[in-house]
Amino acid sequence: MAERVSIDTLSGLLSRGASVKEKGDGVVVAGEREQPSSCGQEEPRRTRPKSMTPEYKAFLGFAERCGWSFKESECVRFLGLGKGCLIERREDHPKMEEVTEKHLLASKPLIVKNSLAGWKAREWTPEFFSEAYPGQVVIANDRAPARVKDRESGRPQASVKTTLSQYVEYMRRFGHKESEGVPLYLNGWHAFKDHAELVDDIASPPWIEDHTRMILQEIDKAISSKNGVRAAPHWVRDTDILLNKVFMGPAGNITRLHYDAHRAHGWLAQIKGRKLFLLFPPDTTNDASLLYPLEGEATTQSPIDPLDAESVEKYPRFKEARMHYAILEEGETLLIPDGWWHYAVSLAPSITVMRNFYNALS
């Protein structure tokens, strides 16, 4: 008989290999594939649960090879490719025109340090969200982005519907016992849609030329002139807000290798914690064999895990791909131009603000 469970209980069940499905306004456990040990003893440190996902297993292997000390200058040799170049990082704030020409038009990623001056969001913590919006319902996932291939492999994405207060408590506890399984990820939360006041806590980087709202307004005018009917009120503003998202969770949360749909650029601002980003240029897609794009997915995704020590052995032509990497630190913003493949993993409990945007010139 299925029963509704809390996020803590579900996390434990997932670590033991439970199968889950969503029903109504909560998640129910359809059945456990294996009963837990009755000995009452804690699992050894860094043991790997039987419901381990391949990407989390690869992260643990990478972390062990690093000695759990994630230093940007050293981590590249422990990656699947074993080579790569650092993403350009600027101390000063470049001019908008320079970024458009040398990074958006030239398709070159960029990190700008100390880029969140004036942001109220700099003060965000997981506890801020749990105290301000304790009853906010959110969905956390153990794999992201979701893939059709996951269902075919027998290890689909598991999702938990919970409240922010429960999720933040889960974040606080996660990692104290290594038997907890794959960390659940609050990825792509539309916080600014749910709580409009949060829009005032962030700002578009002044060095990024973002024409998104202008483009949406021109679309609105074109539709109106053709049909003689105005679109729903505020749709331009609402659509623009939906392009902003929050990603939050414990260390080990992974965004698998993909690139963003609809030819959108993106920037990611690191509010709390650290994240390792691995990027591959869009010209890689000219030879589909380099990153082996998956067919039948909603977005363009790759089965390659850049942290997997056996990735080149599994995908031989991957060794020809050109990897760019960096550990994004608190207060830094990463610009990812249109078409760049990217993979990310949090190296500590993390909060990231992400925005997709468009530039009329690129």
Side-chain angles (χ1 to χ4, degrees), residues 65-128:
R65 294 192 298 276
C66 289
W68 291 82
S69 175
F70 304 107
K71 297 180 180 179
E72 188 179 70
S73 60
E74 300 177 4
C75 69
V76 65
R77 62 192 178 97
F78 300 113
L79 299 172
L81 271 179
K83 61 181 180 180
C85 61
L86 280 169
I87 297 170
E88 180 184 348
R89 188 179 253 112
R90 295 278 295 263
E91 294 274 356
D92 63 320
H93 284 200
K95 293 182 179 180
M96 182 183 293
E97 295 79 9
E98 178 186 359
V99 172
T100 296
E101 179 182 351
K102 295 184 178 180
H103 296 277
L104 294 182
L105 290 171
S107 191
K108 183 181 179 183
L110 173 69
I111 292 174
V112 176
K113 301 180 69 172
N114 303 314
S115 58
L116 308 185
W119 280 37
K120 294 180 183 178
R122 288 183 303 169
E123 306 303 319
W124 285 359
T125 63
E127 292 71 26
F128 161 78

Coordinates of all heavy atoms in Angstrom, one line a residue, residues 65-128:
R65 N 39.4 11.6 -6.0 CA 40.7 11.8 -6.7 C 41.3 13.1 -6.3 O 42.5 13.3 -6.3 CB 40.5 11.7 -8.2 CG 40.1 10.3 -8.8 CD 40.2 10.2 -10.3 NE 39.4 11.1 -11.0 CZ 38.1 10.9 -11.3 NH1 37.5 9.7 -10.9 NH2 37.4 11.7 -12.0
C66 N 40.4 14.1 -6.1 CA 40.9 15.4 -5.6 C 41.2 15.5 -4.1 O 41.7 16.5 -3.6 CB 39.8 16.5 -5.8 SG 39.5 16.9 -7.6
G67 N 41.0 14.4 -3.4 CA 41.1 14.4 -2.0 C 40.1 15.3 -1.3 O 40.3 15.8 -0.2
W68 N 39.0 15.5 -2.0 CA 37.9 16.4 -1.5 C 38.4 17.8 -1.2 O 37.8 18.6 -0.5 CB 37.2 15.8 -0.2 CG 36.5 14.6 -0.5 CD1 37.0 13.3 -0.6 CD2 35.1 14.5 -0.8 NE1 36.0 12.4 -0.9 CE2 34.8 13.1 -1.0 CE3 34.0 15.4 -0.8 CZ2 33.5 12.6 -1.3 CZ3 32.7 14.9 -1.1 CH2 32.5 13.6 -1.3
S69 N 39.4 18.2 -1.9 CA 39.9 19.5 -1.9 C 39.9 20.1 -3.3 O 40.7 19.8 -4.2 CB 41.4 19.6 -1.4 OG 41.9 20.9 -1.5
F70 N 38.9 20.9 -3.6 CA 38.6 21.4 -4.9 C 39.3 22.7 -5.2 O 38.8 23.8 -4.9 CB 37.0 21.5 -5.1 CG 36.3 20.3 -4.8 CD1 35.5 20.2 -3.6 CD2 36.3 19.2 -5.6 CE1 34.8 19.1 -3.3 CE2 35.6 18.1 -5.3 CZ 34.8 18.0 -4.2
K71 N 40.5 22.5 -5.8 CA 41.3 23.7 -6.1 C 41.3 23.9 -7.6 O 41.6 23.0 -8.4 CB 42.7 23.5 -5.6 CG 42.8 23.4 -4.1 CD 44.3 23.3 -3.7 CE 44.4 23.2 -2.1 NZ 45.8 23.0 -1.7
E72 N 40.9 25.1 -8.1 CA 40.7 25.3 -9.5 C 42.0 25.0 -10.3 O 41.9 24.4 -11.4 CB 40.3 26.7 -9.7 CG 39.9 27.1 -11.2 CD 39.5 28.5 -11.3 OE1 40.3 29.4 -11.2 OE2 38.3 28.7 -11.6
S73 N 43.1 25.3 -9.7 CA 44.4 25.1 -10.4 C 44.8 23.7 -10.6 O 45.7 23.3 -11.4 CB 45.5 25.9 -9.7 OG 45.7 25.4 -8.3
E74 N 44.2 22.8 -9.8 CA 44.6 21.4 -9.8 C 43.5 20.4 -10.3 O 43.8 19.3 -10.7 CB 45.0 21.0 -8.3 CG 46.2 21.8 -7.8 CD 46.5 21.4 -6.3 OE1 45.8 20.4 -5.8 OE2 47.3 22.0 -5.7
C75 N 42.2 20.9 -10.2 CA 41.2 19.9 -10.5 C 41.1 19.4 -11.9 O 40.6 18.3 -12.1 CB 39.8 20.5 -10.1 SG 39.3 21.8 -11.2
V76 N 41.6 20.1 -12.9 CA 41.5 19.7 -14.3 C 42.1 18.4 -14.5 O 41.6 17.6 -15.4 CB 42.1 20.8 -15.2 CG1 43.6 21.0 -15.0 CG2 41.7 20.5 -16.7
R77 N 43.2 18.1 -13.9 CA 43.9 16.8 -14.2 C 43.1 15.6 -13.6 O 43.4 14.4 -14.0 CB 45.3 16.8 -13.6 CG 45.4 16.9 -12.1 CD 46.9 17.2 -11.7 NE 47.1 17.4 -10.3 CZ 47.5 16.5 -9.5 NH1 47.7 15.3 -9.9 NH2 47.6 16.7 -8.2
F78 N 42.1 15.8 -12.8 CA 41.3 14.8 -12.3 C 40.0 14.6 -13.1 O 39.2 13.7 -12.7 CB 41.0 15.0 -10.8 CG 42.2 15.1 -9.9 CD1 42.5 16.3 -9.3 CD2 43.0 14.0 -9.7 CE1 43.6 16.4 -8.5 CE2 44.1 14.1 -8.9 CZ 44.4 15.3 -8.3
L79 N 39.8 15.4 -14.1 CA 38.6 15.3 -14.9 C 38.7 14.2 -16.0 O 39.8 13.7 -16.2 CB 38.3 16.6 -15.6 CG 38.0 17.8 -14.6 CD1 37.9 19.1 -15.4 CD2 36.7 17.6 -13.8
G80 N 37.6 13.9 -16.6 CA 37.6 12.8 -17.6 C 38.6 13.1 -18.7 O 39.3 12.2 -19.2
L81 N 38.7 14.3 -19.2 CA 39.6 14.7 -20.3 C 41.0 14.8 -19.8 O 41.9 14.6 -20.6 CB 39.1 15.9 -21.0 CG 38.1 15.8 -22.2 CD1 37.8 17.2 -22.7 CD2 38.7 15.0 -23.3
G82 N 41.1 15.3 -18.6 CA 42.5 15.5 -18.1 C 43.1 16.7 -18.6 O 44.3 17.0 -18.3
K83 N 42.4 17.6 -19.3 CA 43.0 18.8 -19.9 C 41.9 19.8 -20.2 O 40.7 19.4 -20.2 CB 43.7 18.5 -21.2 CG 42.8 17.9 -22.3 CD 43.5 17.6 -23.6 CE 42.6 17.0 -24.6 NZ 43.2 16.7 -25.9
G84 N 42.3 21.0 -20.3 CA 41.3 22.1 -20.5 C 41.9 23.4 -20.3 O 43.1 23.5 -19.9
C85 N 41.2 24.5 -20.6 CA 41.7 25.8 -20.4 C 40.7 26.6 -19.5 O 39.5 26.4 -19.5 CB 41.9 26.6 -21.7 SG 40.5 26.8 -22.7
L86 N 41.3 27.5 -18.7 CA 40.5 28.2 -17.7 C 39.6 29.3 -18.5 O 40.1 29.8 -19.5 CB 41.4 29.0 -16.7 CG 41.9 28.1 -15.6 CD1 43.0 28.9 -14.8 CD2 40.8 27.8 -14.6
I87 N 38.4 29.4 -18.0 CA 37.6 30.5 -18.5 C 38.1 31.9 -18.1 O 38.6 32.0 -17.0 CB 36.1 30.3 -18.0 CG1 35.5 29.0 -18.5 CG2 35.2 31.5 -18.4 CD1 34.2 28.6 -17.8
E88 N 38.1 32.8 -19.1 CA 38.6 34.1 -18.8 C 37.9 34.7 -17.6 O 36.7 34.7 -17.5 CB 38.5 35.1 -20.0 CG 39.0 36.5 -19.7 CD 38.7 37.4 -20.9 OE1 38.4 36.9 -22.0 OE2 38.9 38.6 -20.7
R89 N 38.7 35.3 -16.7 CA 38.1 35.9 -15.5 C 38.6 37.4 -15.4 O 39.8 37.7 -15.5 CB 38.5 35.1 -14.2 CG 37.9 35.5 -12.9 CD 38.4 34.6 -11.8 NE 37.4 33.7 -11.4 CZ 37.4 32.4 -11.5 NH1 38.5 31.9 -12.2 NH2 36.5 31.6 -11.1
R90 N 37.7 38.3 -15.1 CA 38.0 39.7 -15.1 C 37.8 40.3 -13.6 O 36.8 40.0 -13.0 CB 37.1 40.5 -16.0 CG 37.3 40.2 -17.5 CD 38.5 41.0 -18.1 NE 38.3 42.4 -18.0 CZ 37.9 43.1 -19.1 NH1 37.6 42.5 -20.2 NH2 37.7 44.5 -19.0
E91 N 38.8 41.1 -13.2 CA 38.6 41.7 -11.9 C 37.8 43.0 -12.0 O 36.9 43.2 -11.1 CB 40.0 42.1 -11.4 CG 40.9 41.0 -11.0 CD 40.7 40.4 -9.6 OE1 39.9 41.1 -8.9 OE2 41.4 39.4 -9.3
D92 N 37.9 43.7 -13.1 CA 37.2 44.9 -13.3 C 35.9 44.6 -14.0 O 35.7 43.5 -14.6 CB 38.0 45.9 -14.1 CG 38.3 45.4 -15.5 OD1 38.6 44.2 -15.6 OD2 38.2 46.1 -16.5
H93 N 35.0 45.6 -14.1 CA 33.7 45.4 -14.8 C 34.0 45.9 -16.2 O 34.2 47.1 -16.4 CB 32.6 46.2 -14.2 CG 32.1 45.5 -12.9 ND1 30.8 45.8 -12.4 CD2 32.6 44.5 -12.2 CE1 30.6 45.0 -11.4 NE2 31.7 44.3 -11.2
P94 N 33.9 45.1 -17.2 CA 34.2 45.5 -18.6 C 33.0 46.4 -19.1 O 31.9 46.3 -18.5 CB 34.3 44.2 -19.4 CG 33.5 43.2 -18.6 CD 33.7 43.6 -17.2
K95 N 33.2 47.1 -20.2 CA 32.2 47.9 -20.8 C 31.2 46.9 -21.5 O 31.6 45.9 -22.1 CB 32.8 48.9 -21.7 CG 33.6 50.0 -21.1 CD 34.1 51.0 -22.1 CE 34.9 52.1 -21.4 NZ 35.4 53.1 -22.3
M96 N 29.9 47.4 -21.6 CA 28.9 46.6 -22.2 C 29.3 46.3 -23.7 O 29.1 45.2 -24.2 CB 27.6 47.3 -22.1 CG 26.4 46.6 -22.7 SD 24.9 47.6 -22.6 CE 24.6 47.7 -20.9
E97 N 29.7 47.3 -24.4 CA 30.1 47.2 -25.8 C 31.2 46.1 -26.0 O 31.2 45.4 -27.0 CB 30.5 48.5 -26.4 CG 29.4 49.6 -26.4 CD 29.2 50.2 -25.1 OE1 30.0 50.0 -24.1 OE2 28.2 51.0 -24.9
E98 N 32.1 46.1 -25.1 CA 33.2 45.2 -25.2 C 32.8 43.7 -25.0 O 33.2 42.8 -25.7 CB 34.3 45.5 -24.1 CG 35.5 44.5 -24.1 CD 36.4 44.8 -22.9 OE1 36.2 45.7 -22.2 OE2 37.4 44.0 -22.8
V99 N 31.8 43.5 -24.0 CA 31.3 42.2 -23.8 C 30.5 41.7 -25.0 O 30.6 40.6 -25.4 CB 30.5 42.2 -22.5 CG1 29.8 40.8 -22.3 CG2 31.4 42.4 -21.3
T100 N 29.7 42.6 -25.6 CA 28.9 42.2 -26.7 C 29.8 41.8 -27.9 O 29.6 40.8 -28.5 CB 28.0 43.4 -27.2 OG1 27.1 43.7 -26.1 CG2 27.3 43.0 -28.5
E101 N 30.9 42.6 -28.1 CA 31.7 42.3 -29.3 C 32.6 41.1 -29.0 O 32.8 40.2 -29.9 CB 32.6 43.5 -29.6 CG 33.6 43.3 -30.7 CD 34.5 44.5 -31.0 OE1 34.2 45.6 -30.4 OE2 35.4 44.4 -31.8
K102 N 33.3 41.0 -27.8 CA 34.3 40.0 -27.6 C 33.8 38.7 -27.0 O 34.6 37.8 -26.9 CB 35.4 40.6 -26.7 CG 36.2 41.8 -27.4 CD 37.3 42.3 -26.5 CE 38.1 43.4 -27.2 NZ 39.2 43.9 -26.4
H103 N 32.6 38.8 -26.5 CA 32.1 37.6 -25.8 C 30.7 37.0 -26.4 O 30.6 35.8 -26.6 CB 32.0 37.8 -24.3 CG 33.3 38.1 -23.7 ND1 34.2 37.1 -23.3 CD2 34.0 39.2 -23.5 CE1 35.3 37.6 -22.8 NE2 35.2 38.9 -22.9
L104 N 29.8 37.9 -26.7 CA 28.6 37.4 -27.3 C 28.7 37.2 -28.8 O 28.5 36.1 -29.3 CB 27.4 38.4 -27.0 CG 27.0 38.6 -25.6 CD1 25.9 39.6 -25.5 CD2 26.6 37.3 -24.9
L105 N 29.2 38.2 -29.5 CA 29.4 38.0 -30.9 C 30.5 37.0 -31.2 O 30.4 36.2 -32.2 CB 29.7 39.4 -31.6 CG 28.5 40.4 -31.7 CD1 29.0 41.7 -32.1 CD2 27.4 39.8 -32.6
A106 N 31.6 37.1 -30.4 CA 32.7 36.2 -30.7 C 32.6 34.9 -30.0 O 33.4 34.0 -30.1 CB 34.0 36.9 -30.2
S107 N 31.5 34.7 -29.3 CA 31.1 33.4 -28.6 C 32.3 32.9 -27.7 O 32.9 31.9 -27.9 CB 30.8 32.3 -29.6 OG 30.3 31.2 -29.0
K108 N 32.5 33.7 -26.6 CA 33.5 33.4 -25.7 C 33.0 33.6 -24.2 O 32.6 34.7 -23.9 CB 34.8 34.3 -25.9 CG 36.0 34.0 -25.0 CD 37.1 34.9 -25.4 CE 38.3 34.6 -24.5 NZ 39.4 35.6 -24.7
P109 N 33.0 32.6 -23.4 CA 32.5 32.8 -22.0 C 33.4 33.7 -21.2 O 34.6 33.9 -21.5 CB 32.5 31.3 -21.5 CG 33.4 30.6 -22.3 CD 33.4 31.2 -23.7
L110 N 32.8 34.2 -20.1 CA 33.5 35.2 -19.3 C 33.0 35.1 -17.9 O 31.8 34.9 -17.6 CB 33.2 36.6 -19.8 CG 33.8 37.8 -19.0 CD1 35.3 37.8 -19.0 CD2 33.2 39.1 -19.5
I111 N 33.9 35.3 -16.9 CA 33.6 35.4 -15.5 C 34.0 36.8 -15.0 O 35.1 37.2 -15.3 CB 34.3 34.3 -14.7 CG1 33.7 32.9 -15.0 CG2 34.1 34.6 -13.2 CD1 34.4 31.8 -14.3
V112 N 33.1 37.5 -14.3 CA 33.4 38.8 -13.8 C 33.3 38.7 -12.2 O 32.3 38.2 -11.7 CB 32.5 39.9 -14.3 CG1 32.8 41.2 -13.6 CG2 32.6 40.0 -15.8
K113 N 34.4 39.0 -11.6 CA 34.4 39.0 -10.1 C 33.7 40.2 -9.5 O 33.5 41.2 -10.1 CB 35.9 38.9 -9.6 CG 36.7 37.7 -10.2 CD 38.1 37.8 -9.7 CE 38.2 37.5 -8.2 NZ 39.6 37.3 -7.7
N114 N 33.4 40.1 -8.2 CA 32.7 41.1 -7.5 C 31.6 41.8 -8.3 O 31.5 43.0 -8.4 CB 33.8 42.2 -7.1 CG 34.9 41.6 -6.3 OD1 34.7 40.9 -5.4 ND2 36.1 41.9 -6.7
S115 N 30.8 41.0 -8.9 CA 29.8 41.5 -9.8 C 28.4 41.7 -9.3 O 27.5 42.0 -10.0 CB 29.7 40.5 -11.0 OG 29.3 39.2 -10.6
L116 N 28.2 41.5 -7.9 CA 26.9 41.6 -7.4 C 26.7 42.8 -6.5 O 25.9 42.8 -5.6 CB 26.6 40.3 -6.5 CG 26.8 39.0 -7.3 CD1 26.4 37.8 -6.4 CD2 26.1 39.0 -8.6
A117 N 27.6 43.8 -6.7 CA 27.4 45.0 -5.9 C 26.0 45.6 -6.0 O 25.5 45.7 -7.1 CB 28.5 46.1 -6.4
G118 N 25.4 46.0 -4.9 CA 24.1 46.5 -4.9 C 23.0 45.5 -4.9 O 21.8 45.8 -4.8
W119 N 23.3 44.2 -5.0 CA 22.3 43.2 -4.9 C 21.9 42.9 -3.5 O 22.8 42.5 -2.7 CB 22.8 41.9 -5.5 CG 22.8 41.8 -7.0 CD1 23.1 42.8 -7.9 CD2 22.6 40.6 -7.8 NE1 23.0 42.3 -9.2 CE2 22.7 41.0 -9.1 CE3 22.3 39.3 -7.5 CZ2 22.6 40.1 -10.2 CZ3 22.1 38.4 -8.5 CH2 22.3 38.8 -9.8
K120 N 20.6 43.0 -3.2 CA 20.2 42.5 -1.9 C 20.3 41.0 -1.8 O 20.4 40.4 -0.7 CB 18.7 42.9 -1.7 CG 18.4 44.4 -1.6 CD 16.9 44.6 -1.4 CE 16.7 46.1 -1.3 NZ 15.2 46.4 -1.2
A121 N 20.3 40.3 -2.9 CA 20.4 38.9 -3.0 C 21.7 38.4 -2.4 O 21.9 37.2 -2.1 CB 20.2 38.4 -4.4
R122 N 22.7 39.3 -2.3 CA 24.0 38.8 -1.7 C 23.8 38.3 -0.3 O 24.6 37.5 0.2 CB 25.0 40.0 -1.7 CG 25.5 40.4 -3.0 CD 26.6 41.5 -2.9 NE 26.0 42.7 -2.2 CZ 26.7 43.7 -1.8 NH1 28.0 43.7 -1.9 NH2 26.1 44.7 -1.2
E123 N 22.7 38.7 0.4 CA 22.4 38.3 1.7 C 21.5 37.1 1.8 O 21.2 36.6 2.9 CB 21.7 39.5 2.5 CG 22.5 40.8 2.5 CD 23.9 40.7 3.0 OE1 24.0 40.0 4.0 OE2 24.8 41.3 2.4
W124 N 21.2 36.6 0.6 CA 20.3 35.4 0.7 C 21.1 34.2 1.3 O 22.3 34.0 1.0 CB 19.9 35.0 -0.8 CG 18.9 35.8 -1.4 CD1 18.2 36.9 -0.9 CD2 18.4 35.6 -2.7 NE1 17.3 37.4 -1.8 CE2 17.4 36.7 -2.9 CE3 18.6 34.8 -3.8 CZ2 16.7 36.8 -4.1 CZ3 17.9 34.9 -5.0 CH2 17.0 35.9 -5.1
T125 N 20.3 33.4 2.0 CA 20.8 32.1 2.5 C 19.7 31.1 2.4 O 18.5 31.6 2.2 CB 21.2 32.2 4.0 OG1 20.1 32.6 4.8 CG2 22.3 33.2 4.2
P126 N 19.9 29.8 2.5 CA 18.8 28.9 2.6 C 17.8 29.3 3.7 O 16.6 29.2 3.5 CB 19.4 27.5 2.8 CG 20.8 27.7 2.2 CD 21.2 29.1 2.5
E127 N 18.3 29.7 4.8 CA 17.4 30.0 5.9 C 16.6 31.2 5.6 O 15.4 31.3 6.1 CB 18.3 30.3 7.2 CG 18.9 29.1 7.8 CD 20.1 28.5 6.9 OE1 20.7 29.4 6.2 OE2 20.4 27.3 7.0
F128 N 17.1 32.2 4.8 CA 16.3 33.3 4.4 C 15.0 32.8 3.7 O 13.9 33.3 4.0 CB 17.1 34.2 3.5 CG 16.2 35.2 2.6 CD1 15.7 36.3 3.2 CD2 15.9 34.9 1.3 CE1 14.8 37.1 2.4 CE2 15.1 35.7 0.5 CZ 14.6 36.8 1.1

